[in-house]
Amino acid sequence: EAGVAQSPRYKIIEKRQSVAFWCNPISGHATLYWYQQILGQGPKLLIQFQNNGVVDDSQLPKDRFSAERLKGVDSTLKIQPAKLEDSAVYLCASSLDSRNNEQFFGPGTRLTVL
Amino acid sequence: QKEVEQDPGPLSVPEGAIVSLNCTYSNSAFQYFMWYRQYSRKGPELLMYTYSSGNKEDGRFTAQVDKSSKYISLFIRDSQPSDSATYLCAMSYNAGNMLTFGGGTRLMVKP
């Protein structure tokens, strides 16, 4: 079974630039999550999708972050404009459905904002 | 005060030792408890998943949940150098809800 795929693995940008991350969940997984993991901390949920609908985006900084999952499979997370404090690893995870807590994580995208 | 507290370590043990990793939490509404292992520059990998209080064993790993004390533990028996990683506890209120993670404990098992 293929795992959660993410790209790119690494990204370096200047502050105020834009950046986008892509995630392909495990096949058949209806629920998709984006987490932000700052160095030395645990992951923090940014947004949760159930198919193509948003379940929870209460911790997403909506003035600069956006995410979509238009066809209920792949998802993109965008930051525009980036700030220095956005430097982190962005992790995508998926689970079978919203009744299942077993979340499987991708390798993450490491973002450095200079 | 953070919702979930975890000693960041590092915790250094010799190969073969029994390792005890712990988390405390403040919100008694948490019902689902998980332990993830994260190797450097990798995503977290689910190790153990428990519901409510009690013990669960899987090979060399044992997870314990004490809801009355708001305290969870992960024990690793016969630790191996390959167990060297950061261990994250996570918990949620209901199935399918967001996970709230601890900050992780870095474990080093020396040959």
Side-chain angles (χ1 to χ4, degrees):
Chain A
E1 178 184 79
V4 176
Q6 289 188 249
S7 67
R9 291 296 314 277
Y10 304 93
K11 191 74 177 178
I12 300 174
I13 62 172
E14 301 278 340
K15 61 183 178 183
R16 291 187 289 272
Q17 285 186 324
S18 302
V19 65
F21 314 124
W22 174 82
C23 171
N24 184 261
I26 293 173
S27 177
H29 280 196
T31 309
L32 184 146
Y33 311 80
W34 283 102
Y35 288 86
Q36 179 192 59
Q37 186 174 25
I38 292 171
L39 187 65
Q41 298 181 20
K44 184 186 83 170
L45 181 74
L46 293 174
I47 189 167
Q48 176 183 347
F49 291 96
Q50 175 69 19
N51 295 309
N52 60 351
V54 175
V55 174
D56 185 350
D57 64 355
S58 58
Q59 298 189 87
L60 186 74
K62 298 180 186 64
D63 57 333
R64 298 184 301 105
F65 286 65
S66 64
E68 60 184 14
R69 193 184 185 201
L70 292 175
K71 295 183 179 179
V73 181
D74 293 8
S75 177
T76 55
L77 176 69
K78 297 179 182 178
I79 307 175
Q80 180 179 10
K83 292 185 175 182
L84 297 177
E85 59 261 35
D86 298 332
S87 294
V89 176
Y90 290 84
L91 293 161
C92 179
S94 69
S95 64
L96 196 58
D97 56 41
S98 62
R99 295 165 297 177
N100 191 302
N101 253 3
E102 296 188 45
Q103 296 183 24
F104 297 88
F105 283 80
T109 296
R110 183 176 297 271
L111 174 68
T112 301
V113 182
L114 302 175
Chain B
Q1 183 190 8
K2 294 180 181 178
E3 271 195 295
V4 181
E5 299 274 5
Q6 213 178 337
D7 187 328
L11 176 63
S12 183
V13 300
E15 183 176 355
I18 296 174
V19 175
S20 172
L21 302 166
N22 310 295
C23 283
T24 58
Y25 61 96
S26 57
N27 194 329
S28 58
F30 286 127
Q31 297 189 79
Y32 295 85
F33 303 91
M34 283 137 273
W35 285 95
Y36 282 84
R37 177 175 63 197
Q38 187 173 27
Y39 291 113
S40 180
R41 300 188 180 273
K42 301 285 187 183
E45 170 195 9
L46 181 64
L47 280 179
M48 299 291 282
Y49 175 95
T50 54
Y51 170 70
S52 195
S53 286
N55 294 358
K56 184 174 182 179
E57 187 174 321
D58 185 0
R60 296 185 296 113
F61 299 91
T62 300
Q64 287 186 353
V65 175
D66 182 351
K67 290 190 70 181
S68 63
S69 301
K70 299 192 189 72
Y71 189 86
I72 69 171
S73 302
L74 177 71
F75 297 95
I76 307 174
R77 289 182 299 280
D78 187 25
S79 57
Q80 302 296 310
S82 58
D83 294 328
S84 298
T86 295
Y87 289 79
L88 297 155
C89 64
M91 46 199 77
S92 70
Y93 305 115
N94 294 306
N97 278 166
M98 61 172 276
L99 296 181
T100 300
F101 281 86
T105 299
R106 186 174 164 219
L107 172 67
M108 295 186 295
V109 181
K110 298 189 181 293

